[in-house]
Amino acid sequence: MVKDWWRGAVIYQIYPRSFMDSNGDGIGDLPGITARLDHVADLGADAIWVSPFFRSPMKDFGYDVADYRAVDPMFGTLADFDALLARAHALGLKVIIDQVLSHTSDQHAWFAASRASRQNPQADWYVWADPRPDGTPPNNWLSVFGGSAWQWDSRRRQYYLHSFLTEQPDLNFHCQAVQDTLLGEVRFWCERGVDGFRFDACNHQFHDAQLRDNPPADGGEVSTVRADNPYAMQQHRHDKSQPENLVFLERLRRLLDEYGAVALGEVGDENAPPVMAQYTERGKRLHLAYSFSLLTSEHSARHLRTQVEALDQALAETDGWGCWAVSNHDVPRVASRWNANGQDDTRRDRLWLALLLSLRGSASVYQGEELGLPEAEVPFELLQDPYGRAFWPEFKGRDGARTPIPWLADAQHAGFTSGAPWLPVSDTHIPLAIDQQEGDPQSMLHFSRALLRWRRGQPLLRMGSMKFLDAPEPLLWFERRDGDASLQAVFNLSAEPASLALPQALAPIAGAPFSGARIEGRTLALPPFGVFFGEPLHAP
């Protein structure tokens, strides 16, 4: 289990800009993370995932890297990172860092060299293409952030590919020198002692070398972006998830195995389960793949079962492994996104966290989920996210999930910073500040700690197989099993009481941090947003 610590692990995602500011400039930083790591250790997480802190012009807040080996001054120094790493390890926490290999910033030295001419050693390090005879882009590929994925460059008199912002040109993975160089960047951080990497947009690393057009969406896809974004109108058959990427991932895995480092891949695809299964196949490529399936607004029992079964079945065929999340820095917080009636209810927040930590796979908990933070409202004039500014007002961007963590209810800016925060601290978050919840034994924070502590003693929830059992809406029911050992979990996803007829007698599992469920004979009665963990009274 030490070697495979990542199987069933709870990974706490830290968004550095918004976790803790140590120097009063209003932006969270590495020393701030180090100062507050006790909070994560006390929660009971196994690892932290730190979103990008590399040198960057911050057009996409660090996901546009200008130097893979340098810490951006707003976050600190390499020495600050080393101190963070040492403190995390002293607390028993593994450290995973974000690594963005599919693209760089347009301010990276590599891109400056590449765009200088068509004849230089790095000319083909990015994806360049001639225009069509009428001057239009070489094909119909679209950017995730809206509009064409091609940007004209007058120096080379060619277009370059950018799957995201125009300031994020795509690297050309068909170039061997690019692959070799990027592996060197990964090795730099392995040598520094990190325990793993979260590889951003890792299925975007190759494109179709023939630059063939994408076909239109036929309605059968589950898009990874909003319906009002034209990106959802295509099947992304040629601009990502290319077969050549499997070979590169095998090279990457061999490098990581030299250091015992773990690879968590972000795989955003309209047909993600088979891609994730390929990417994590039998220890040849990634260790685990990050799922987007539960990051949408749909959350009926039927939908959740469909999404989880699809991935579980695909991974079973390749002995792959997934990582679930219900919130992250790119989507509205689950406390608001899955809130049908608009009423705050800690019972519901507890249910979603319990569900996340009960699925087969590893779990990523986004900072603030342990507090039950709702989505923050950020007015347009304070909006920072270019994605939100482009699609306002139908889409307000990602800033509502990125506002600072509230540490101290009575302190300026809730104790996040002594300066002006880069995004405002939400008024709705201040009553949920960590110091307030510390003093309330019934708070979401105390529940989160109790749940993670209890889960550590339930090996079936970390490693057992998973099988759904039929239950009517709004109930979700599944079994986790290993040999003769069995655990059953039932979730009432509604604000009304519900009951379930049981085919066999179940007994509550001792220590589960839930109350209110009752078993009367063979009937399980659940309160609103109730959760029940049970085991058979007799061996099957």
Side-chain angles (χ1 to χ4, degrees), residues 65-66 103-117 120 122-128 151-156 158-162 165-172:
V65 178
H103 55 267
T104 70
S105 164
D106 62 353
Q107 301 303 305
H108 200 294
W110 302 343
F111 188 69
S114 187
R115 77 190 315 183
S117 72
N120 71 77
Q122 292 173 303
D124 62 347
W125 278 37
Y126 292 81
V127 184
W128 296 96
Q151 177 66 30
W152 177 253
D153 185 82
S154 58
R155 294 172 228 187
R156 285 187 50 144
Q158 285 182 305
Y159 284 96
Y160 68 83
L161 180 67
H162 61 93
L165 295 175
T166 56
E167 295 90 352
Q168 293 171 298
D170 283 22
L171 284 160
N172 178 19

mmCIF file of all heavy atoms in Angstrom, residues 65-66 103-117 120 122-128 151-156 158-162 165-172:
data_model
loop_
_atom_site.group_PDB
_atom_site.id
_atom_site.type_symbol
_atom_site.label_atom_id
_atom_site.label_comp_id
_atom_site.label_asym_id
_atom_site.label_seq_id
_atom_site.Cartn_x
_atom_site.Cartn_y
_atom_site.Cartn_z
ATOM 1 N N VAL A 65 2.511 28.647 -19.035
ATOM 2 C CA VAL A 65 3.834 28.588 -18.408
ATOM 3 C C VAL A 65 4.880 29.259 -19.294
ATOM 4 O O VAL A 65 4.996 28.961 -20.479
ATOM 5 C CB VAL A 65 4.229 27.118 -18.141
ATOM 6 C CG1 VAL A 65 5.626 27.055 -17.544
ATOM 7 C CG2 VAL A 65 3.221 26.460 -17.196
ATOM 8 N N ALA A 66 5.668 30.150 -18.687
ATOM 9 C CA ALA A 66 6.762 30.806 -19.405
ATOM 10 C C ALA A 66 8.123 30.221 -19.042
ATOM 11 O O ALA A 66 9.097 30.436 -19.754
ATOM 12 C CB ALA A 66 6.764 32.314 -19.126
ATOM 13 N N HIS A 103 0.820 22.844 -23.871
ATOM 14 C CA HIS A 103 1.010 24.181 -24.430
ATOM 15 C C HIS A 103 1.861 25.001 -23.469
ATOM 16 O O HIS A 103 2.073 24.609 -22.318
ATOM 17 C CB HIS A 103 -0.341 24.874 -24.652
ATOM 18 C CG HIS A 103 -1.186 24.939 -23.408
ATOM 19 N ND1 HIS A 103 -2.112 23.978 -23.100
ATOM 20 C CD2 HIS A 103 -1.231 25.837 -22.383
ATOM 21 C CE1 HIS A 103 -2.704 24.280 -21.942
ATOM 22 N NE2 HIS A 103 -2.175 25.396 -21.489
ATOM 23 N N THR A 104 2.363 26.113 -23.939
ATOM 24 C CA THR A 104 3.103 27.049 -23.097
ATOM 25 C C THR A 104 2.454 28.424 -23.207
ATOM 26 O O THR A 104 1.463 28.616 -23.918
ATOM 27 C CB THR A 104 4.577 27.183 -23.524
ATOM 28 O OG1 THR A 104 4.638 27.877 -24.788
ATOM 29 C CG2 THR A 104 5.250 25.838 -23.655
ATOM 30 N N SER A 105 3.046 29.382 -22.530
ATOM 31 C CA SER A 105 2.711 30.785 -22.764
ATOM 32 C C SER A 105 3.356 31.250 -24.061
ATOM 33 O O SER A 105 4.402 30.726 -24.478
ATOM 34 C CB SER A 105 3.234 31.640 -21.610
ATOM 35 O OG SER A 105 3.252 33.010 -21.960
ATOM 36 N N ASP A 106 2.749 32.244 -24.690
ATOM 37 C CA ASP A 106 3.408 32.833 -25.862
ATOM 38 C C ASP A 106 4.620 33.669 -25.451
ATOM 39 O O ASP A 106 5.372 34.143 -26.310
ATOM 40 C CB ASP A 106 2.430 33.666 -26.689
ATOM 41 C CG ASP A 106 1.844 34.853 -25.930
ATOM 42 O OD1 ASP A 106 2.082 34.972 -24.706
ATOM 43 O OD2 ASP A 106 1.156 35.680 -26.555
ATOM 44 N N GLN A 107 4.835 33.826 -24.132
ATOM 45 C CA GLN A 107 6.023 34.527 -23.637
ATOM 46 C C GLN A 107 7.173 33.579 -23.317
ATOM 47 O O GLN A 107 8.234 34.027 -22.884
ATOM 48 C CB GLN A 107 5.662 35.322 -22.379
ATOM 49 C CG GLN A 107 4.564 36.351 -22.585
ATOM 50 C CD GLN A 107 4.912 37.357 -23.675
ATOM 51 O OE1 GLN A 107 5.957 37.995 -23.619
ATOM 52 N NE2 GLN A 107 4.051 37.479 -24.668
ATOM 53 N N HIS A 108 6.969 32.289 -23.536
ATOM 54 C CA HIS A 108 8.056 31.331 -23.312
ATOM 55 C C HIS A 108 9.152 31.553 -24.353
ATOM 56 O O HIS A 108 8.869 31.857 -25.522
ATOM 57 C CB HIS A 108 7.519 29.906 -23.414
ATOM 58 C CG HIS A 108 8.403 28.880 -22.756
ATOM 59 N ND1 HIS A 108 9.661 28.582 -23.229
ATOM 60 C CD2 HIS A 108 8.207 28.080 -21.668
ATOM 61 C CE1 HIS A 108 10.211 27.646 -22.465
ATOM 62 N NE2 HIS A 108 9.351 27.331 -21.512
ATOM 63 N N ALA A 109 10.397 31.368 -23.943
ATOM 64 C CA ALA A 109 11.528 31.553 -24.869
ATOM 65 C C ALA A 109 11.430 30.615 -26.060
ATOM 66 O O ALA A 109 11.871 30.963 -27.165
ATOM 67 C CB ALA A 109 12.845 31.347 -24.120
ATOM 68 N N TRP A 110 10.862 29.424 -25.855
ATOM 69 C CA TRP A 110 10.731 28.490 -26.968
ATOM 70 C C TRP A 110 9.839 29.069 -28.073
ATOM 71 O O TRP A 110 10.132 28.931 -29.244
ATOM 72 C CB TRP A 110 10.133 27.158 -26.502
ATOM 73 C CG TRP A 110 10.887 26.445 -25.444
ATOM 74 C CD1 TRP A 110 12.180 26.651 -25.063
ATOM 75 C CD2 TRP A 110 10.390 25.390 -24.617
ATOM 76 N NE1 TRP A 110 12.522 25.795 -24.051
ATOM 77 C CE2 TRP A 110 11.455 25.009 -23.754
ATOM 78 C CE3 TRP A 110 9.170 24.735 -24.516
ATOM 79 C CZ2 TRP A 110 11.304 23.996 -22.809
ATOM 80 C CZ3 TRP A 110 9.014 23.729 -23.579
ATOM 81 C CH2 TRP A 110 10.067 23.362 -22.729
ATOM 82 N N PHE A 111 8.736 29.703 -27.664
ATOM 83 C CA PHE A 111 7.823 30.240 -28.678
ATOM 84 C C PHE A 111 8.429 31.459 -29.359
ATOM 85 O O PHE A 111 8.268 31.650 -30.576
ATOM 86 C CB PHE A 111 6.474 30.603 -28.051
ATOM 87 C CG PHE A 111 5.434 30.979 -29.080
ATOM 88 C CD1 PHE A 111 4.917 30.034 -29.941
ATOM 89 C CD2 PHE A 111 4.982 32.293 -29.172
ATOM 90 C CE1 PHE A 111 3.960 30.373 -30.893
ATOM 91 C CE2 PHE A 111 4.026 32.647 -30.121
ATOM 92 C CZ PHE A 111 3.514 31.678 -30.977
ATOM 93 N N ALA A 112 9.153 32.270 -28.604
ATOM 94 C CA ALA A 112 9.824 33.420 -29.215
ATOM 95 C C ALA A 112 10.779 32.960 -30.312
ATOM 96 O O ALA A 112 10.849 33.565 -31.395
ATOM 97 C CB ALA A 112 10.571 34.214 -28.153
ATOM 98 N N ALA A 113 11.490 31.871 -30.059
ATOM 99 C CA ALA A 113 12.412 31.342 -31.071
ATOM 100 C C ALA A 113 11.636 30.743 -32.230
ATOM 101 O O ALA A 113 11.992 30.948 -33.403
ATOM 102 C CB ALA A 113 13.325 30.296 -30.445
ATOM 103 N N SER A 114 10.589 30.016 -31.923
ATOM 104 C CA SER A 114 9.843 29.318 -32.964
ATOM 105 C C SER A 114 9.177 30.276 -33.939
ATOM 106 O O SER A 114 9.129 30.025 -35.152
ATOM 107 C CB SER A 114 8.786 28.404 -32.327
ATOM 108 O OG SER A 114 8.146 27.599 -33.290
ATOM 109 N N ARG A 115 8.652 31.375 -33.444
ATOM 110 C CA ARG A 115 7.931 32.298 -34.311
ATOM 111 C C ARG A 115 8.877 33.231 -35.070
ATOM 112 O O ARG A 115 8.445 33.961 -35.971
ATOM 113 C CB ARG A 115 6.932 33.110 -33.495
ATOM 114 C CG ARG A 115 7.537 34.229 -32.676
ATOM 115 C CD ARG A 115 6.571 34.873 -31.702
ATOM 116 N NE ARG A 115 5.265 35.165 -32.254
ATOM 117 C CZ ARG A 115 4.281 35.783 -31.573
ATOM 118 N NH1 ARG A 115 4.490 36.155 -30.303
ATOM 119 N NH2 ARG A 115 3.129 36.025 -32.131
ATOM 120 N N ALA A 116 10.170 33.222 -34.722
ATOM 121 C CA ALA A 116 11.111 34.158 -35.342
ATOM 122 C C ALA A 116 11.300 33.889 -36.829
ATOM 123 O O ALA A 116 11.510 34.813 -37.611
ATOM 124 C CB ALA A 116 12.449 34.115 -34.617
ATOM 125 N N SER A 117 11.249 32.606 -37.204
ATOM 126 C CA SER A 117 11.448 32.265 -38.618
ATOM 127 C C SER A 117 11.015 30.828 -38.835
ATOM 128 O O SER A 117 10.779 30.084 -37.881
ATOM 129 C CB SER A 117 12.925 32.426 -39.021
ATOM 130 O OG SER A 117 13.705 31.386 -38.444
ATOM 131 N N ASN A 120 14.814 27.717 -38.091
ATOM 132 C CA ASN A 120 15.632 27.819 -36.897
ATOM 133 C C ASN A 120 15.451 26.527 -36.117
ATOM 134 O O ASN A 120 14.523 25.753 -36.378
ATOM 135 C CB ASN A 120 15.277 29.069 -36.068
ATOM 136 C CG ASN A 120 13.926 28.963 -35.392
ATOM 137 O OD1 ASN A 120 13.782 28.277 -34.377
ATOM 138 N ND2 ASN A 120 12.916 29.634 -35.966
ATOM 139 N N GLN A 122 14.186 25.617 -33.476
ATOM 140 C CA GLN A 122 12.910 25.397 -32.781
ATOM 141 C C GLN A 122 11.706 25.784 -33.640
ATOM 142 O O GLN A 122 10.606 25.971 -33.130
ATOM 143 C CB GLN A 122 12.906 26.172 -31.457
ATOM 144 C CG GLN A 122 13.919 25.608 -30.446
ATOM 145 C CD GLN A 122 14.052 26.464 -29.204
ATOM 146 O OE1 GLN A 122 14.366 27.643 -29.295
ATOM 147 N NE2 GLN A 122 13.808 25.863 -28.046
ATOM 148 N N ALA A 123 11.916 25.872 -34.930
ATOM 149 C CA ALA A 123 10.846 26.314 -35.821
ATOM 150 C C ALA A 123 9.623 25.415 -35.754
ATOM 151 O O ALA A 123 8.487 25.886 -35.887
ATOM 152 C CB ALA A 123 11.368 26.395 -37.259
ATOM 153 N N ASP A 124 9.851 24.115 -35.566
ATOM 154 C CA ASP A 124 8.715 23.185 -35.562
ATOM 155 C C ASP A 124 8.335 22.731 -34.157
ATOM 156 O O ASP A 124 7.704 21.700 -33.978
ATOM 157 C CB ASP A 124 9.013 21.978 -36.451
ATOM 158 C CG ASP A 124 10.212 21.174 -35.975
ATOM 159 O OD1 ASP A 124 10.962 21.673 -35.105
ATOM 160 O OD2 ASP A 124 10.391 20.036 -36.455
ATOM 161 N N TRP A 125 8.703 23.500 -33.134
ATOM 162 C CA TRP A 125 8.356 23.134 -31.760
ATOM 163 C C TRP A 125 6.886 23.420 -31.449
ATOM 164 O O TRP A 125 6.357 22.922 -30.462
ATOM 165 C CB TRP A 125 9.257 23.873 -30.771
ATOM 166 C CG TRP A 125 10.589 23.199 -30.587
ATOM 167 C CD1 TRP A 125 11.336 22.563 -31.541
ATOM 168 C CD2 TRP A 125 11.330 23.090 -29.370
ATOM 169 N NE1 TRP A 125 12.494 22.071 -31.006
ATOM 170 C CE2 TRP A 125 12.521 22.386 -29.663
ATOM 171 C CE3 TRP A 125 11.128 23.535 -28.079
ATOM 172 C CZ2 TRP A 125 13.484 22.105 -28.697
ATOM 173 C CZ3 TRP A 125 12.087 23.265 -27.108
ATOM 174 C CH2 TRP A 125 13.252 22.551 -27.420
ATOM 175 N N TYR A 126 6.245 24.231 -32.257
ATOM 176 C CA TYR A 126 4.826 24.535 -32.084
ATOM 177 C C TYR A 126 4.092 24.137 -33.364
ATOM 178 O O TYR A 126 4.706 23.779 -34.380
ATOM 179 C CB TYR A 126 4.627 26.020 -31.743
ATOM 180 C CG TYR A 126 5.169 26.364 -30.370
ATOM 181 C CD1 TYR A 126 6.540 26.609 -30.190
ATOM 182 C CD2 TYR A 126 4.341 26.421 -29.251
ATOM 183 C CE1 TYR A 126 7.052 26.895 -28.928
ATOM 184 C CE2 TYR A 126 4.851 26.710 -27.991
ATOM 185 C CZ TYR A 126 6.205 26.940 -27.838
ATOM 186 O OH TYR A 126 6.714 27.216 -26.593
ATOM 187 N N VAL A 127 2.774 24.165 -33.316
ATOM 188 C CA VAL A 127 1.974 23.696 -34.446
ATOM 189 C C VAL A 127 1.685 24.873 -35.373
ATOM 190 O O VAL A 127 0.798 25.701 -35.110
ATOM 191 C CB VAL A 127 0.660 23.047 -33.967
ATOM 192 C CG1 VAL A 127 -0.112 22.478 -35.157
ATOM 193 C CG2 VAL A 127 0.943 21.951 -32.950
ATOM 194 N N TRP A 128 2.448 24.932 -36.442
ATOM 195 C CA TRP A 128 2.303 25.992 -37.446
ATOM 196 C C TRP A 128 1.673 25.408 -38.712
ATOM 197 O O TRP A 128 1.939 24.264 -39.062
ATOM 198 C CB TRP A 128 3.656 26.598 -37.790
ATOM 199 C CG TRP A 128 4.334 27.293 -36.644
ATOM 200 C CD1 TRP A 128 5.266 26.786 -35.803
ATOM 201 C CD2 TRP A 128 4.114 28.646 -36.230
ATOM 202 N NE1 TRP A 128 5.659 27.722 -34.883
ATOM 203 C CE2 TRP A 128 4.972 28.883 -35.121
ATOM 204 C CE3 TRP A 128 3.286 29.682 -36.687
ATOM 205 C CZ2 TRP A 128 5.025 30.108 -34.465
ATOM 206 C CZ3 TRP A 128 3.338 30.907 -36.032
ATOM 207 C CH2 TRP A 128 4.195 31.101 -34.936
ATOM 208 N N GLN A 151 -4.415 31.176 -34.705
ATOM 209 C CA GLN A 151 -4.093 32.594 -34.634
ATOM 210 C C GLN A 151 -3.033 32.928 -35.677
ATOM 211 O O GLN A 151 -1.997 32.264 -35.774
ATOM 212 C CB GLN A 151 -3.566 32.948 -33.240
ATOM 213 C CG GLN A 151 -3.123 34.388 -33.075
ATOM 214 C CD GLN A 151 -4.263 35.376 -33.198
ATOM 215 O OE1 GLN A 151 -5.403 35.056 -32.875
ATOM 216 N NE2 GLN A 151 -3.975 36.579 -33.679
ATOM 217 N N TRP A 152 -3.293 33.967 -36.468
ATOM 218 C CA TRP A 152 -2.353 34.386 -37.506
ATOM 219 C C TRP A 152 -1.138 35.059 -36.880
ATOM 220 O O TRP A 152 -1.263 35.855 -35.942
ATOM 221 C CB TRP A 152 -3.045 35.351 -38.468
ATOM 222 C CG TRP A 152 -2.142 35.903 -39.538
ATOM 223 C CD1 TRP A 152 -1.633 37.157 -39.632
ATOM 224 C CD2 TRP A 152 -1.637 35.187 -40.669
ATOM 225 N NE1 TRP A 152 -0.854 37.290 -40.745
ATOM 226 C CE2 TRP A 152 -0.838 36.087 -41.407
ATOM 227 C CE3 TRP A 152 -1.781 33.880 -41.124
ATOM 228 C CZ2 TRP A 152 -0.192 35.720 -42.579
ATOM 229 C CZ3 TRP A 152 -1.137 33.522 -42.298
ATOM 230 C CH2 TRP A 152 -0.353 34.424 -43.008
ATOM 231 N N ASP A 153 0.038 34.716 -37.395
ATOM 232 C CA ASP A 153 1.273 35.333 -36.961
ATOM 233 C C ASP A 153 1.948 35.964 -38.172
ATOM 234 O O ASP A 153 2.330 35.255 -39.125
ATOM 235 C CB ASP A 153 2.210 34.301 -36.326
ATOM 236 C CG ASP A 153 3.458 34.956 -35.754
ATOM 237 O OD1 ASP A 153 3.380 35.463 -34.625
ATOM 238 O OD2 ASP A 153 4.494 34.964 -36.449
ATOM 239 N N SER A 154 2.104 37.292 -38.163
ATOM 240 C CA SER A 154 2.591 37.995 -39.352
ATOM 241 C C SER A 154 4.069 37.760 -39.604
ATOM 242 O O SER A 154 4.540 37.934 -40.736
ATOM 243 C CB SER A 154 2.309 39.501 -39.203
ATOM 244 O OG SER A 154 2.936 40.006 -38.038
ATOM 245 N N ARG A 155 4.832 37.350 -38.574
ATOM 246 C CA ARG A 155 6.266 37.136 -38.778
ATOM 247 C C ARG A 155 6.516 35.912 -39.647
ATOM 248 O O ARG A 155 7.309 35.947 -40.577
ATOM 249 C CB ARG A 155 6.963 36.987 -37.433
ATOM 250 C CG ARG A 155 6.946 38.247 -36.600
ATOM 251 C CD ARG A 155 7.472 38.011 -35.191
ATOM 252 N NE ARG A 155 6.562 38.594 -34.214
ATOM 253 C CZ ARG A 155 6.804 38.666 -32.920
ATOM 254 N NH1 ARG A 155 7.938 38.185 -32.441
ATOM 255 N NH2 ARG A 155 5.930 39.205 -32.107
ATOM 256 N N ARG A 156 5.842 34.827 -39.312
ATOM 257 C CA ARG A 156 6.032 33.604 -40.092
ATOM 258 C C ARG A 156 5.032 33.501 -41.242
ATOM 259 O O ARG A 156 5.155 32.608 -42.088
ATOM 260 C CB ARG A 156 5.878 32.381 -39.191
ATOM 261 C CG ARG A 156 7.070 32.153 -38.281
ATOM 262 C CD ARG A 156 6.991 30.862 -37.509
ATOM 263 N NE ARG A 156 6.688 29.667 -38.302
ATOM 264 C CZ ARG A 156 7.195 28.463 -38.085
ATOM 265 N NH1 ARG A 156 8.066 28.277 -37.105
ATOM 266 N NH2 ARG A 156 6.865 27.438 -38.835
ATOM 267 N N GLN A 158 2.076 32.499 -41.025
ATOM 268 C CA GLN A 158 1.396 31.230 -40.809
ATOM 269 C C GLN A 158 0.471 31.367 -39.596
ATOM 270 O O GLN A 158 0.564 32.320 -38.823
ATOM 271 C CB GLN A 158 2.407 30.107 -40.534
ATOM 272 C CG GLN A 158 3.169 29.612 -41.750
ATOM 273 C CD GLN A 158 4.096 28.469 -41.387
ATOM 274 O OE1 GLN A 158 4.936 28.603 -40.498
ATOM 275 N NE2 GLN A 158 3.947 27.342 -42.066
ATOM 276 N N TYR A 159 -0.400 30.392 -39.483
ATOM 277 C CA TYR A 159 -1.232 30.285 -38.287
ATOM 278 C C TYR A 159 -0.547 29.359 -37.275
ATOM 279 O O TYR A 159 0.139 28.407 -37.663
ATOM 280 C CB TYR A 159 -2.601 29.691 -38.628
ATOM 281 C CG TYR A 159 -3.560 30.643 -39.313
ATOM 282 C CD1 TYR A 159 -3.685 30.658 -40.702
ATOM 283 C CD2 TYR A 159 -4.364 31.505 -38.563
ATOM 284 C CE1 TYR A 159 -4.585 31.514 -41.340
ATOM 285 C CE2 TYR A 159 -5.263 32.360 -39.180
ATOM 286 C CZ TYR A 159 -5.373 32.366 -40.569
ATOM 287 O OH TYR A 159 -6.264 33.203 -41.185
ATOM 288 N N TYR A 160 -0.765 29.642 -35.989
ATOM 289 C CA TYR A 160 -0.354 28.676 -34.964
ATOM 290 C C TYR A 160 -1.595 28.196 -34.206
ATOM 291 O O TYR A 160 -2.594 28.904 -34.077
ATOM 292 C CB TYR A 160 0.697 29.246 -34.011
ATOM 293 C CG TYR A 160 0.252 30.354 -33.090
ATOM 294 C CD1 TYR A 160 -0.409 30.085 -31.878
ATOM 295 C CD2 TYR A 160 0.532 31.688 -33.396
ATOM 296 C CE1 TYR A 160 -0.789 31.104 -31.026
ATOM 297 C CE2 TYR A 160 0.149 32.716 -32.555
ATOM 298 C CZ TYR A 160 -0.515 32.423 -31.363
ATOM 299 O OH TYR A 160 -0.900 33.439 -30.519
ATOM 300 N N LEU A 161 -1.505 26.973 -33.699
ATOM 301 C CA LEU A 161 -2.626 26.337 -33.013
ATOM 302 C C LEU A 161 -2.630 26.710 -31.530
ATOM 303 O O LEU A 161 -1.591 26.686 -30.867
ATOM 304 C CB LEU A 161 -2.520 24.814 -33.159
ATOM 305 C CG LEU A 161 -3.619 23.965 -32.496
ATOM 306 C CD1 LEU A 161 -4.965 24.189 -33.186
ATOM 307 C CD2 LEU A 161 -3.231 22.479 -32.547
ATOM 308 N N HIS A 162 -3.807 27.035 -31.018
ATOM 309 C CA HIS A 162 -3.976 27.262 -29.574
ATOM 310 C C HIS A 162 -5.316 26.656 -29.169
ATOM 311 O O HIS A 162 -6.369 27.181 -29.471
ATOM 312 C CB HIS A 162 -3.917 28.754 -29.226
ATOM 313 C CG HIS A 162 -4.987 29.587 -29.881
ATOM 314 N ND1 HIS A 162 -6.195 29.856 -29.271
ATOM 315 C CD2 HIS A 162 -5.026 30.184 -31.107
ATOM 316 C CE1 HIS A 162 -6.938 30.596 -30.082
ATOM 317 N NE2 HIS A 162 -6.258 30.805 -31.201
ATOM 318 N N LEU A 165 -6.373 29.723 -24.844
ATOM 319 C CA LEU A 165 -6.249 31.134 -25.199
ATOM 320 C C LEU A 165 -5.255 31.320 -26.346
ATOM 321 O O LEU A 165 -4.356 30.489 -26.552
ATOM 322 C CB LEU A 165 -5.774 31.940 -23.987
ATOM 323 C CG LEU A 165 -6.716 32.025 -22.780
ATOM 324 C CD1 LEU A 165 -6.015 32.766 -21.642
ATOM 325 C CD2 LEU A 165 -8.016 32.721 -23.145
ATOM 326 N N THR A 166 -5.369 32.445 -27.055
ATOM 327 C CA THR A 166 -4.386 32.742 -28.106
ATOM 328 C C THR A 166 -2.986 32.873 -27.514
ATOM 329 O O THR A 166 -1.986 32.649 -28.212
ATOM 330 C CB THR A 166 -4.748 34.048 -28.841
ATOM 331 O OG1 THR A 166 -4.849 35.114 -27.887
ATOM 332 C CG2 THR A 166 -6.063 33.909 -29.579
ATOM 333 N N GLU A 167 -2.915 33.232 -26.233
ATOM 334 C CA GLU A 167 -1.614 33.369 -25.561
ATOM 335 C C GLU A 167 -1.072 32.033 -25.081
ATOM 336 O O GLU A 167 -0.051 31.994 -24.391
ATOM 337 C CB GLU A 167 -1.742 34.321 -24.367
ATOM 338 C CG GLU A 167 -2.073 35.746 -24.731
ATOM 339 C CD GLU A 167 -3.587 35.998 -24.789
ATOM 340 O OE1 GLU A 167 -4.365 35.015 -24.692
ATOM 341 O OE2 GLU A 167 -3.982 37.171 -24.928
ATOM 342 N N GLN A 168 -1.727 30.916 -25.446
ATOM 343 C CA GLN A 168 -1.298 29.580 -25.034
ATOM 344 C C GLN A 168 -1.086 28.692 -26.270
ATOM 345 O O GLN A 168 -1.870 27.791 -26.546
ATOM 346 C CB GLN A 168 -2.346 28.952 -24.110
ATOM 347 C CG GLN A 168 -2.484 29.663 -22.764
ATOM 348 C CD GLN A 168 -3.675 29.161 -21.979
ATOM 349 O OE1 GLN A 168 -4.817 29.276 -22.401
ATOM 350 N NE2 GLN A 168 -3.427 28.600 -20.805
ATOM 351 N N PRO A 169 -0.011 28.927 -27.022
ATOM 352 C CA PRO A 169 0.238 28.130 -28.227
ATOM 353 C C PRO A 169 0.521 26.666 -27.906
ATOM 354 O O PRO A 169 1.222 26.355 -26.933
ATOM 355 C CB PRO A 169 1.456 28.809 -28.861
ATOM 356 C CG PRO A 169 2.144 29.496 -27.718
ATOM 357 C CD PRO A 169 1.045 29.936 -26.798
ATOM 358 N N ASP A 170 -0.024 25.777 -28.720
ATOM 359 C CA ASP A 170 0.159 24.341 -28.524
ATOM 360 C C ASP A 170 1.543 23.892 -28.973
ATOM 361 O O ASP A 170 1.994 24.238 -30.079
ATOM 362 C CB ASP A 170 -0.874 23.553 -29.341
ATOM 363 C CG ASP A 170 -2.252 23.555 -28.698
ATOM 364 O OD1 ASP A 170 -2.530 24.464 -27.899
ATOM 365 O OD2 ASP A 170 -3.048 22.656 -29.011
ATOM 366 N N LEU A 171 2.199 23.106 -28.141
ATOM 367 C CA LEU A 171 3.466 22.490 -28.525
ATOM 368 C C LEU A 171 3.223 21.384 -29.546
ATOM 369 O O LEU A 171 2.168 20.748 -29.554
ATOM 370 C CB LEU A 171 4.175 21.933 -27.300
ATOM 371 C CG LEU A 171 4.842 22.987 -26.403
ATOM 372 C CD1 LEU A 171 5.079 22.446 -25.010
ATOM 373 C CD2 LEU A 171 6.151 23.465 -27.019
ATOM 374 N N ASN A 172 4.210 21.138 -30.380
ATOM 375 C CA ASN A 172 4.114 20.124 -31.431
ATOM 376 C C ASN A 172 4.757 18.827 -30.937
ATOM 377 O O ASN A 172 5.971 18.652 -31.027
ATOM 378 C CB ASN A 172 4.805 20.617 -32.694
ATOM 379 C CG ASN A 172 4.774 19.572 -33.798
ATOM 380 O OD1 ASN A 172 3.968 18.635 -33.767
ATOM 381 N ND2 ASN A 172 5.659 19.727 -34.775
#
